[in-house]
C-alpha cells in the first residue's frame, strides 16, 4: 500500500488532498498545528508546529513514505509594527519545507524511490512591498525545490514545485484575487503531479504569464 505524508492538512488544499489520497487507496499521515477531525482506518495524525524546534523529531518517528506533500503555508500583509509576521512566513513556508525534506528524503534515497511536492506560489517571481516575507519565502522555496530535484532525480527521487496562483482558501487575502481556482481544481493538479512527477507546474497558466509581466514592472520600480 503506498504511503503519503501531507504537512499542513487540517484545512484547505492539504485537507482536500488527504481525502483524495485516502479515496485512492493510500495510507496517509498528516501533520498540522492542531488536531484533525478526519477519521479513517488508513489515516494517522500528528500535532506539530513546523516552525517549532521539535518538529524534525516528530517526522523521524514516522514510518517511511513514498510521497510527501508540503502544504503548510502562512502569510500576512506588511505592517512595519509587526515585522515578526514576515519572519514567521519565511520560517514556515521555507524553513519548514526544508526541515521536512531533511527528514523524509534520506528514507526515499535509501529505497531509491520517492516523491516530494512543495506548494509554492506564482508570487515567487515578485518583489512585494505588500507581503515581502511571503513572496521571499516562496521564491526561496521554488529555488530550493528545483535545485533539490536536479540533485535527487538521478537517484530515483522526484521533487516537484507547484506554483499556484490564488486558490479559494483562507490564504487568498486582499481585495483582488484574479483567476482564483477552487480547492478541487488545485487537488486535481496535485494528483496529476503525483502521476507524472514533473519538476515544476505553474497553474493557472494565464496567471503565470501575468506574474512574469508583474516581475518586470516591479524590478523596473527598483531602479
Amino acid at each position: 500500500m503506498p504511503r503519503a505524508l501531507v504537512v499542513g492538512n487540517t484545512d484547505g488544499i492539504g485537507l482536500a488532498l488527504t481525502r483524495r489520497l485516502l479515496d485512492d487507496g493510500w495510507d496517509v499521515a498528516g501533520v498540522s498545528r492542531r488536531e484533525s477531525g478526519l477519521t479513517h482506518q488508513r489515516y494517522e495524525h500528528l500535532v506539530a508546529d513546523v516552525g517549532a524546534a521539535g518538529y524534525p523529531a516528530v517526522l523521524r518517528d514516522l514510518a517511511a513514505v513514498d510521497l510527501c506533500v508540503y502544504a503548510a503555508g502562512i502569510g500576512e500583509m506588511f505592517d512595519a509594527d509587526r515585522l515578526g509576521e514576515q519572519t514567521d512566513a519565511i520560517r514556515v513556508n521555507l524553513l519548514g519545507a526544508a526541515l521536512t525534506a531533511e527528514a523524509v528524503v534520506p528514507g526515499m534515497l535509501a529505497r531509491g524511490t520517492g516523491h516530494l511536492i512543495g506548494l509554492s506560489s506564482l508570487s515567487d517571481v515578485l518583489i512585494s512591498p505588500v507581503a515581502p516575507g511571503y513572496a521571499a519565502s516562496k521564491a526561496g522555496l521554488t529555488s530550493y525545490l528545483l535545485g533539490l530535484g536536479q540533485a535527487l532525480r538521478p537517484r530515483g527521487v522526484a521533487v516537484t514545485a507547484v506554483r499556484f496562483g490564488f486558490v479559494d482558501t483562507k490564504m487568498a487575502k486582499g481585495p483582488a484575487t484574479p483567476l482564483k481556482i477552487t480547492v478541487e481544481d488545485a487537488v486535481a493538479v496535485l494528483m496529476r503531479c503525483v502521476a507524472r512527477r514533473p519538476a515544476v507546474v505553474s497553474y493557472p497558466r494565464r496567471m503565470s504569464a501575468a506574474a512574469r509581466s508583474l516581475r518586470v514592472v516591479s524590478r523596473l520600480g527598483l531602479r
Side-chain angles (χ1 to χ4, degrees), residues 82-126:
R82 296 201 298 267
L83 279 176
E85 293 177 342
Q86 305 304 312
T87 306
D88 288 342
I90 295 171
R91 182 180 297 113
V92 171
N93 301 348
L94 177 55
L95 182 57
L99 289 171
T100 301
E102 182 182 339
V104 303
V105 166
M108 294 178 177
L109 290 174
R111 299 189 307 278
T113 185
H115 190 186
L116 172 66
I117 298 176
L119 271 60
S120 191
S121 169
L122 293 173
S123 68
D124 61 4
V125 300
L126 302 178

Side-chain angles (χ1 to χ4, degrees), residues 101-191:
E102 182 182 339
V104 303
V105 166
M108 294 178 177
L109 290 174
R111 299 189 307 278
T113 185
H115 190 186
L116 172 66
I117 298 176
L119 271 60
S120 191
S121 169
L122 293 173
S123 68
D124 61 4
V125 300
L126 302 178
I127 297 168
S128 173
V130 176
Y134 181 82
S137 69
K138 294 302 185 178
L141 179 59
T142 298
S143 178
Y144 183 64
L145 293 173
L146 292 177
L148 194 64
Q150 290 181 21
L152 297 181
R153 192 170 289 269
R155 300 181 62 181
V157 177
V159 181
T160 302
V162 179
R163 304 170 65 242
F164 282 130
F166 293 106
V167 183
D168 190 13
T169 69
K170 65 182 181 181
M171 286 293 293
K173 300 175 181 178
T177 54
L179 300 177
K180 183 166 63 177
I181 66 171
T182 66
V183 170
E184 291 74 21
D185 287 338
V187 169
V189 171
L190 291 173
M191 292 308 296

